[in-house]
Amino acid sequence: MSRRGGGRRSETRRDQDSSTPSPSFQRGGGGGGRGRGGRGVSTPAPSPTPVRAPTSAAPGYLSATAGPSAKPTPQAAYTAAAASSSSSSVGDQLSQETAKKLTLGGTITTGGLVPVSSKAIVPPRRPDYGKIGKKCVIRANHFVVEVSDRDLFHYDVAITPEITSKKVNRDVISQLVRSYRESHLGNRMPAYDGRKSLYTAGALPFEAKEFVVKLAERGDPASSSSSVKKERQFKVAIKYASKVDMYHLKEFLSGRQADAPQETIQILDIVLRASPSEKYITVGRSFFSPDLGPKGDLGDGIEYWRGYYQSLRPAQMGLSFNIDVSARSFYEPILVTEFVAKFFNFRDLSRPLSDQERVKVKKALRGIKVQITYSDYTKSYKVTGISNLPVNKTMFTLDDKKTKVSVYQYFRERYNIGLKYTSLPPLQAGTDAKPIYLPMELCQIAGGQRYTKKLNERQVTALLRATCQRPSARENNIKQANNLSLTSLFPSLRILIFVMVRQNDYSRNVLVRDEFGIQVKEELTLVDARVLPPPMLKYHDTGREARVDPRFGQWNMIDKKMVNGGRIDFWTCLNFSTRVHRELPFEFCWQLMDMCNNKGMEFNPEPIIPIRSADSRQIEKALHDVHKQCTAELANQKGKQLQLLIIILPDVTGSYGKIKRVCETELGIVSQCCQPQQAKKLSKQYMENVALKINVKAGGRNTVLNDAFHRRIPLLTDVPTIVFGADVTHPQAGEDAGPSIAAVVASMDWPEVTKYRGLVSAQAHREEIIEDLYKKYQDPKKGLVHGGMIRELLIAFKRSTGQKPFRIIFYRDGVSEGQFSQVLLHEMQAIRQACGSLEEGYCPRVTFVVVQKRHHTRFFPADHNRRDQTDKSGNILPGTVVDTTICHPTEFDFYLNSHAGIQGTSRPTHYHVLFDENKFSSDGLQTLTNNLCYTYARCTRSVSIVPPAYYAHLAAFRARYYIEGETSDAGSSGGTAEFRPLPVIKENVKDVMFYC
């Protein structure tokens, strides 16, 4: 289910029956909203001759005029074939089964025949290795893994009674191995995944067998009684499932087999995870424990634990073992009353809770496991809620089913405990039908529970400070994780000296080394890399510096003017801060206006209505009042409206989302919010940064690539090309009812490719595939109606440039490897359908690239002491690209560190090409991606992720502000949640880069 936002109405003139040309297609130019702003630089080269459609063009999208010029470009030979769907014949050697899974299908009828390849769509093979750039050698936190040629056997495991806890399952299997290894298991040591699979190196002496295992349960060792409480008896059935040999893995790693033997890799990964899984708290692929380093306080009853991440993956160097240090937030093992006091800053627990406080406490405690402190043995309960009444008024019936007592009375009579906090409600465990009431002051939060809710700003800062390490420090900690000997430790690492010592001792682990014959090398891998040259950037010719060659991934705006300065005629300012001097808003706006004008904008010095201050408790009223007054002031000027509202935010955080929602979805106001503590400094650097944001919100452009300006970028500036960015953000952990938000942005200013229009859409909870790329429905009056974000952005591109795109470059963020096939299949089909719905036979060539930032690969300079190998932060140089050694054995992927480090260890971005009809070379795609990273509008630095993907991320997060507070506190939905559609973004807001 999809619920659109981004300014789309349910029925618009743009959603037309395919048989009727949309009016927007036939406008020769018109620009995307505000075009390029007031001052601008005209593009020197003429627009290329439009490419003819592969079939007869129906009236509409393809028959629209191509622009004012008819001069051919040097790439005029890019003819109808460029628009065909000649999917390359990659991966013909794949198995038929894999091919069927990844086939898009044949012709798709969307109002016209869309030529879609019927061949299997699989990730293309690497076309070549990159050669551009200065060669260098760096280290990566990957370790070579060597595996003996042994047959691996898979056995199904069934434990009765069934247990949901992986830890208990592991205890059961560990006890079985101790009891039966020599007598029944042929002296084999199996590796167990904690669920239903068990693996051995060599066959067990039976096909199927059932064992009886007795597991002793003990009380808390710290209590007065640590004697055995009872024994639980389990039946464990082990049955042969399959045999897995190493041949296919060797063939895949050598490039002779296309599909990865995932089962074999998974088995080896389970073997390497077996020992730490028994010792530590497991979170995904990471392990955490107080034994891995000192804990740290995050405040509010939350602490962080140190740990490490590990993963086994195939690479060009063979099997690669990726290890990285990590930290996560956990609940402190403290009394519930102490946690409530810390978490909510309650100073007096003797007073009753208000209804609002009780709801908040219930939400904070629901799902937490607690242990009782009043018994001789440890017993745990999972909190399902809290009572509506305090302990002295919460009544329940005793086992005699007659006597009713209060919780307070029960504990006084049964345990001789006089409860201190009689006004606090008791915790509730069990079910509503059979509740178990537990006084908060007698319950302790069980240790080792991960805190999954959103951390506040102070906690995030504390966690980052604890984990933020210079590359040299991080490298040493990773070595510790692999138990390498250290010749020296930096002073900053002293508190972490015990973090990873002797924990991943793979070289001496009996299961890993002796049983399965796995060896993990003890040195970080040396990797051949290249440092790509930075692109030349173009600024306005009236500035003293019209061009700049960035150094070390950064530059400044001194002596430069924006390449296209926007124009602001109607603006005002609204101040919500009480801690700034009353004259500060006037001085701040004057200096900001002066900065904008100096940098090339045309900014009217007079606000349309006087600058004012307003009560931060009445934000919505103040915004509506400003809008009403501005509208009245401009009533006699047809089509004019407030262009910019400068807002000095309230002193207390939490109002930004509300301001953006009201401005962008209710009033149609483009706003620029400023922090009061920054505004009062009147810093020139801050003014400059804000001016960059204001310019793109006014329809201007800050800088462009010089080669794009002169049309010298292959596979971008030769023919009209549109660059997309897409991302999906999900509700924070712990929320099980909110929608996911999809965002898609697309470039509107070919050939420069710096201005992006953004659309957003709500979709089903935690749905990763973007559901609203293309949609169609049957209207009783109009017939078949087509819509979707891709279609709308293609129309906007035509309006803005006067051209139809013949090439699509699609950067897709937020996709994990396990979702590659599914996302490619559905989203490529949506792109095809959206194009086909615009015109019969319209099918531009597509390159689909997944952008991955959430990985654990880190790079380090091979020599930290060489100045020519590091930036100021000690990280590798911006522009460093890697497509060898640790990359995929056959597929087209690369790591790019496009940014300069600021603090900590820089994280490169991983780009993986899933589909490529444009036949990019490695140098071509790597250079284009790196160059685009220098066009990010909000700063004068190259950024770590390609801007269209970055913008999509910003737009999706902006849209989440629109629906904050709409999800209920009712708990789990138990399935796919219904949700409200996103509020519609006003058209004038959508016309600019409002999300910057």
Side-chain angles (χ1 to χ4, degrees):
M1 169 187 314
S2 177
R3 296 290 187 268
R4 281 296 305 278
R8 171 166 289 281
R9 297 175 291 276
S10 59
E11 295 180 17
T12 73
R13 288 180 298 170
R14 296 181 189 175
D15 291 337
Q16 301 287 334
D17 189 337
S18 59
S19 62
T20 306
S22 172
S24 63
F25 298 167
Q26 303 201 11
R27 296 173 184 154
R34 302 186 185 184
R36 299 184 179 178
R39 301 186 54 173
V41 178
S42 60
T43 304
S47 300
T49 301
V51 180
R52 288 184 299 170
T55 61
S56 299
Y61 192 72
L62 291 183
S63 61
T65 58
S69 173
K71 292 182 181 180
T73 67
Q75 297 290 332
Y78 188 92
T79 58
S84 72
S85 65
S86 56
S87 176
S88 58
S89 179
V90 295
D92 286 341
Q93 72 275 28
L94 291 182
S95 65
Q96 290 298 317
E97 180 181 357
T98 305
K100 289 177 182 178
K101 290 180 181 178
L102 293 176
T103 299
L104 284 180
T107 299
I108 300 171
T109 303
T110 59
L113 294 177
V114 182
V116 177
S117 171
S118 60
K119 293 185 178 181
I121 295 184
V122 295
R125 295 180 70 90
R126 188 183 309 279
D128 54 11
Y129 290 96
K131 298 179 177 62
I132 293 176
K134 182 181 178 181
K135 293 182 179 180
C136 63
V137 176
I138 59 177
R139 292 187 183 274
N141 59 337
H142 289 243
F143 300 85
V144 176
V145 173
E146 295 179 351
V147 184
S148 300
D149 190 8
R150 302 184 185 183
D151 290 335
L152 305 178
F153 289 80
H154 175 202
Y155 292 86
D156 291 330
V157 176
I159 300 177
T160 309
E162 191 170 349
I163 311 162
T164 58
S165 168
K166 276 189 173 184
K167 185 179 186 308
V168 177
N169 282 339
R170 293 186 192 281
D171 290 342
V172 170
I173 297 301
S174 294
Q175 181 61 41
L176 183 151
V177 173
R178 285 193 293 269
S179 302
Y180 298 104
R181 178 182 174 188
E182 294 184 2
S183 58
H184 292 76
L185 302 182
N187 214 29
R188 301 280 183 200
M189 278 189 69
Y192 176 54
D193 71 348
R195 292 297 186 199
K196 297 183 179 296
S197 293
L198 183 141
Y199 305 95
T200 59
L204 295 175
F206 55 80
E207 289 284 322
K209 201 171 190 66
E210 189 173 276
F211 299 88
V212 175
V213 177
K214 293 182 179 180
L215 193 64
E217 288 191 355
R218 296 184 177 271
D220 186 353
S223 68
S224 59
S225 173
S226 60
S227 58
V228 174
K229 177 191 169 189
K230 63 178 181 179
E231 282 188 340
R232 295 180 66 186
Q233 183 168 298
F234 299 92
K235 289 184 179 180
V236 181
I238 299 177
K239 183 180 180 181
Y240 171 79
S242 62
K243 178 183 176 182
V244 181
D245 61 46
M246 305 298 293
Y247 174 75
H248 293 298
L249 177 60
K250 292 179 178 179
E251 290 292 291
F252 173 72
L253 294 175
S254 64
R256 292 189 293 269
Q257 177 176 314
D259 54 322
Q262 295 296 344
E263 184 182 9
T264 307
I265 298 171
Q266 181 184 9
I267 293 172
L268 299 176
D269 188 56
I270 289 170
V271 174
L272 291 168
R273 296 173 62 83
S275 178
S277 294
E278 293 179 357
K279 295 187 289 185
Y280 307 131
I281 300 295
T282 304
V283 180
R285 290 186 171 273
S286 299
F287 303 101
F288 300 94
S289 171
D291 297 335
L292 297 174
K295 297 187 292 185
D297 184 26
L298 294 177
D300 302 340
I302 312 299
E303 61 187 12
Y304 66 81
W305 290 13
R306 298 183 187 274
Y308 64 92
Y309 165 94
Q310 70 173 54
S311 175
L312 185 68
R313 56 195 312 105
Q316 294 174 34
M317 67 181 186
L319 284 177
S320 170
F321 196 46
N322 182 204
I323 298 179
D324 192 22
V325 293
S326 183
R328 288 292 185 274
S329 54
F330 287 79
Y331 288 97
E332 279 189 80
I334 55 179
L335 289 174
V336 173
T337 46
E338 187 180 352
F339 173 79
V340 169
K342 283 185 172 185
F343 195 84
F344 296 101
N345 197 25
F346 290 162
R347 296 182 179 179
D348 182 11
L349 293 180
S350 62
R351 67 171 180 82
L353 299 180
S354 67
D355 289 342
Q356 187 178 15
E357 289 172 336
R358 185 183 55 77
V359 169
K360 289 181 178 179
V361 171
K362 176 183 177 181
K363 186 176 181 180
L365 295 177
R366 185 193 292 128
I368 294 179
K369 185 183 290 186
V370 297
Q371 296 172 336
I372 56 176
T373 61
Y374 54 85
S375 176
D376 290 339
Y377 58 87
T378 299
K379 190 169 185 180
S380 298
Y381 296 91
K382 187 175 183 179
V383 177
T384 57
I386 63 174
S387 173
N388 294 331
L389 299 170
V391 290
N392 57 2
K393 294 182 180 179
T394 299
M395 309 295 290
F396 68 98
T397 305
L398 295 178
D399 292 340
D400 62 9
K401 298 183 180 180
K402 298 178 181 178
T403 310
K404 274 196 170 185
V405 296
S406 69
V407 174
Y408 175 84
Q409 183 182 354
Y410 175 80
F411 277 88
R412 186 182 62 187
E413 295 176 356
R414 175 71 182 271
Y415 296 103
N416 196 28
I417 297 175
L419 298 179
K420 179 180 179 182
Y421 301 111
T422 57
S423 296
L424 287 180
L427 303 175
Q428 181 177 323
T431 63
D432 290 335
K434 292 184 178 180
I436 300 171
Y437 294 113
L438 305 166
M440 291 187 187
E441 61 193 88
L442 300 182
C443 295
Q444 178 168 305
I445 295 175
Q449 293 184 82
R450 188 184 173 198
Y451 180 76
T452 58
K453 298 182 175 68
K454 186 177 181 180
L455 298 175
N456 60 40
E457 289 184 19
R458 179 172 47 80
Q459 290 170 328
V460 170
T461 301
L463 187 60
L464 289 176
R465 188 179 295 118
T467 58
C468 186
Q469 299 170 310
R470 294 292 190 188
S472 56
R474 195 180 197 97
E475 179 181 347
N476 282 327
N477 276 285
I478 290 167
K479 287 182 177 179
Q480 287 178 309
N482 203 26
N483 196 40
L484 304 190
S485 60
L486 300 180
T487 57
S488 64
L489 283 175
F490 292 79
S492 61
L493 286 180
R494 287 176 182 169
I495 62 170
L496 300 175
I497 203 158
F498 298 108
V499 173
M500 305 299 176
V501 176
R502 302 187 64 81
Q503 302 302 335
N504 287 348
D505 201 1
Y506 301 111
S507 59
R508 295 178 181 83
N509 185 282
V510 176
L511 178 70
V512 173
R513 183 192 62 186
D514 299 336
E515 190 73 19
F516 283 85
I518 300 173
Q519 287 191 338
V520 181
K521 295 296 182 179
E522 296 187 338
E523 283 295 335
L524 277 77
T525 300
L526 286 171
V527 179
D528 291 326
R530 292 168 289 114
V531 181
L532 300 177
M536 179 177 287
L537 302 177
K538 174 83 173 80
Y539 283 92
H540 201 279
D541 289 335
T542 58
R544 292 180 62 183
E545 288 188 29
R547 292 169 184 79
V548 61
D549 285 310
R551 296 192 60 191
F552 297 104
Q554 52 191 325
W555 63 101
N556 58 56
M557 286 292 293
I558 298 174
D559 296 330
K560 302 173 188 68
K561 290 192 175 183
M562 299 157 177
V563 69
N564 297 112
R567 179 171 181 145
I568 300 289
D569 292 315
F570 310 112
W571 66 277
T572 189
C573 175
L574 189 56
N575 168 47
F576 288 112
S577 173
T578 59
R579 296 178 186 173
V580 298
H581 190 273
R582 63 182 181 180
E583 298 297 323
L584 184 280
F586 300 90
E587 180 64 22
F588 174 74
C589 287
W590 187 88
Q591 291 195 25
L592 180 58
M593 174 206 63
D594 186 56
M595 177 64 73
C596 290
N597 283 326
N598 287 337
K599 295 305 174 186
M601 292 185 66
E602 293 185 25
F603 206 115
N604 183 358
E606 295 297 328
I608 185 172
I609 62 173
I611 295 170
R612 66 183 63 183
S613 295
D615 189 343
S616 61
R617 294 169 297 181
Q618 296 182 324
I619 287 175
E620 291 193 44
K621 181 180 182 302
L623 293 171
H624 279 271
D625 288 346
V626 166
H627 180 259
K628 183 177 180 181
Q629 292 179 41
C630 291
T631 302
E633 195 71 24
L634 293 168
N636 296 327
Q637 301 188 47
K638 188 176 180 181
K640 302 297 184 181
Q641 59 186 345
L642 179 66
Q643 292 173 276
L644 178 69
L645 176 59
I646 299 169
I647 297 173
I648 299 178
L649 292 167
D651 303 300
V652 179
T653 60
S655 303
Y656 179 83
K658 179 190 293 185
I659 290 170
K660 290 298 183 181
R661 175 180 58 79
V662 173
C663 286
E664 294 166 1
T665 68
E666 295 181 17
L667 304 177
I669 295 175
V670 176
S671 60
Q672 178 58 56
C673 294
C674 304
Q675 292 289 350
Q677 62 267 31
Q678 294 292 338
K680 65 184 179 182
K681 294 178 183 178
L682 299 176
S683 162
K684 295 293 184 185
Q685 182 62 58
Y686 180 68
M687 300 285 183
E688 184 179 289
N689 291 339
V690 175
L692 294 176
K693 297 181 182 182
I694 289 176
N695 187 48
V696 296
K697 291 178 181 180
R701 298 185 298 182
N702 296 331
T703 187
V704 297
L705 297 172
N706 192 59
D707 281 348
F709 182 77
H710 293 287
R711 298 197 179 178
R712 293 197 294 249
I713 301 180
L715 296 179
L716 180 70
T717 59
D718 51 346
V719 296
T721 300
I722 186 169
V723 180
F724 284 92
D727 190 18
V728 178
T729 65
H730 303 291
Q732 64 190 46
E735 262 189 52
D736 54 4
S740 293
I741 304 292
V744 181
V745 304
S747 58
M748 295 287 119
D749 61 338
W750 180 83
E752 289 86 1
V753 192
T754 58
K755 186 187 295 187
Y756 291 82
R757 183 181 180 91
L759 300 175
V760 292
S761 174
Q763 57 188 43
H765 178 73
R766 297 212 167 270
E767 174 60 57
E768 183 55 54
I769 293 174
I770 301 177
E771 298 175 341
D772 203 14
L773 289 180
Y774 169 77
K775 64 180 181 181
K776 61 181 179 180
Y777 62 93
Q778 198 73 29
D779 184 88
K781 296 180 179 179
K782 299 178 181 179
L784 185 62
V785 178
H786 301 280
M789 293 190 282
I790 294 290
R791 191 176 193 272
E792 182 171 339
L793 290 168
L794 288 171
I795 293 170
F797 181 91
K798 172 64 178 65
R799 282 177 160 180
S800 179
T801 65
Q803 306 274 0
K804 58 187 177 297
F806 289 109
R807 180 186 296 117
I808 292 175
I809 301 173
F810 199 96
Y811 287 103
R812 176 65 158 92
D813 195 5
V815 181
S816 64
E817 289 182 35
Q819 299 168 317
F820 278 5
S821 299
Q822 190 180 17
V823 168
L824 176 64
L825 179 67
H826 289 86
E827 295 187 5
M828 266 303 305
Q829 180 166 343
I831 293 170
R832 291 286 195 233
Q833 289 176 311
C835 293
S837 73
L838 291 170
E839 181 62 39
E840 182 177 332
Y842 175 55
C843 195
R845 290 184 174 180
V846 179
T847 296
F848 194 105
V849 185
V850 167
V851 182
Q852 293 178 303
K853 192 70 175 174
R854 294 183 178 179
H855 59 80
H856 288 267
T857 293
R858 301 292 184 273
F859 293 141
F860 313 99
D863 186 350
H864 295 287
N865 298 317
R866 285 189 57 178
R867 292 288 183 89
D868 62 337
Q869 290 190 2
T870 66
D871 61 16
K872 294 179 181 179
S873 68
N875 281 283
I876 58 173
L877 295 170
T880 301
V881 64
V882 171
D883 59 5
T884 61
T885 313
I886 63 169
C887 291
H888 195 278
T890 59
E891 294 175 9
F892 190 2
D893 72 326
F894 58 91
Y895 289 92
L896 174 63
N897 189 86
S898 53
H899 64 300
I902 298 176
Q903 61 178 355
T905 304
S906 296
R907 179 186 304 190
T909 299
H910 185 223
Y911 297 90
H912 201 127
V913 182
L914 299 191
F915 193 71
D916 183 27
E917 293 176 315
N918 291 299
K919 304 292 186 182
F920 272 97
S921 66
S922 290
D923 278 333
L925 187 59
Q926 291 167 11
T927 301
L928 172 62
T929 303
N930 185 60
N931 289 355
L932 288 175
C933 290
Y934 285 77
T935 65
Y936 186 61
R938 304 207 303 178
C939 60
T940 53
R941 300 176 65 95
S942 59
V943 289
S944 62
I945 183 172
V946 68
Y950 205 146
Y951 293 144
H953 179 79
L954 293 177
F957 267 86
R958 173 63 59 80
R960 190 158 297 283
Y961 283 124
Y962 301 160
I963 58 172
E964 270 191 350
E966 291 187 1
T967 53
S968 83
D969 185 39
S972 175
S973 60
T976 302
E978 290 290 334
F979 49 85
R980 301 180 190 177
L982 284 175
V984 176
I985 301 173
K986 297 296 183 180
E987 287 295 326
N988 66 301
V989 176
K990 237 185 355 172
D991 283 342
V992 297
M993 296 170 68
F994 66 93
Y995 44 80
C996 280

